[in-house]
Amino acid sequence: MDTALIIIDIQNDYFQNGKAELVHPEKASANAKLLLEQFRKKNLPVVHIQHIASRPDATFFISGTKGAEIHHDVQPTDQEKIIIKNYPNSFRDTHLLEYLNSKNITDLVICGMQTHMCVDATTRAAKDFGFNCTVIGDACATKDLAVNGATVQADDVQTAFLSALSYFYSTVMNAEEYFKQEMAV
């Protein structure tokens, strides 16, 4: 029991008609739900990360709104840990590290939203803290980004960030590959 599932920010504001819609959040959420079901079946630890905006100019994840709530696909049970964060890195100013250490967790399976922001920041921090990380790419979602007058399409953002994480910070695979690997163990 040295592996935990970390589900980052799968919250209503990222879905259709939310305040910060992503590209293909339903697909990512459906794959995260499959991961969650497997972890529950094996009675392995699950940590839900929920972002609550703390900046006065925030436009989404406002405390007390429907948009800030965790999406119904990955709704936590009473036995699962929920960690509230205010920054992209799920370890910053939270008790995530202490919680994982108290459970003797060494390996993390990470999924969630936004790949280019919170998934990336959390994965890099986790590796720096000594965790072995696996990111399930098709259980993550992102959006189009703009830089210097150019728009980068969400699929390219996703590929770029996952490929960068796969070099040192994590193993990156899709849900189907992960399930096959787990059945072989």
Side-chain angles (χ1 to χ4, degrees), residues 48-65:
H48 298 265
I49 307 294
Q50 182 180 21
H51 193 105
I52 299 297
S54 60
R55 294 187 339 254
D57 62 341
T59 58
F60 63 101
F61 291 164
I62 308 300
S63 181
T65 65

Side-chain angles (χ1 to χ4, degrees), residues 156-185:
D156 294 330
V157 171
Q158 183 82 346
T159 299
F161 273 83
L162 291 176
S163 64
L165 286 174
S166 74
Y167 174 70
F168 172 78
Y169 287 97
S170 69
T171 299
V172 176
M173 57 181 63
N174 64 38
E176 184 178 334
E177 291 170 326
Y178 179 76
F179 294 136
K180 283 181 184 173
Q181 173 187 291
E182 286 303 298
M183 289 170 59
V185 176

Side-chain angles (χ1 to χ4, degrees), residues 3 24 26 30 44 46-47 51 67 69 75 82 97 102 106 110-111 121 130 135 142 146 149 155 163 166 173 177:
T3 302
H24 309 303
E26 297 83 8
L44 291 172
V46 174
V47 179
H51 193 105
E69 293 175 8
Q75 194 63 44
I82 300 172
L97 180 60
S102 75
T106 58
I110 300 169
C111 64
V135 174
T142 193
D155 287 344
S163 64
S166 74
M173 57 181 63
E177 291 170 326

Side-chain angles (χ1 to χ4, degrees), residues 8 30 35-36 42 69 109 115 132-133 150-151 155 161 176 184:
I8 303 171
L35 289 165
L36 178 57
K42 292 183 173 189
E69 293 175 8
V109 175
T115 311
N132 302 308
C133 301
T151 298
D155 287 344
F161 273 83
E176 184 178 334

Side-chain angles (χ1 to χ4, degrees), residues 8-21:
I8 303 171
D9 300 349
I10 300 185
Q11 295 169 244
N12 293 328
D13 270 337
Y14 283 144
F15 290 81
Q16 186 174 13
N17 300 317
K19 303 274 187 196
E21 280 186 56

Side-chain angles (χ1 to χ4, degrees), residues 126-143:
K127 180 67 173 183
D128 288 344
F129 282 125
F131 294 98
N132 302 308
C133 301
T134 300
V135 174
I136 308 302
D138 61 357
C140 297
T142 193
K143 65 180 182 176

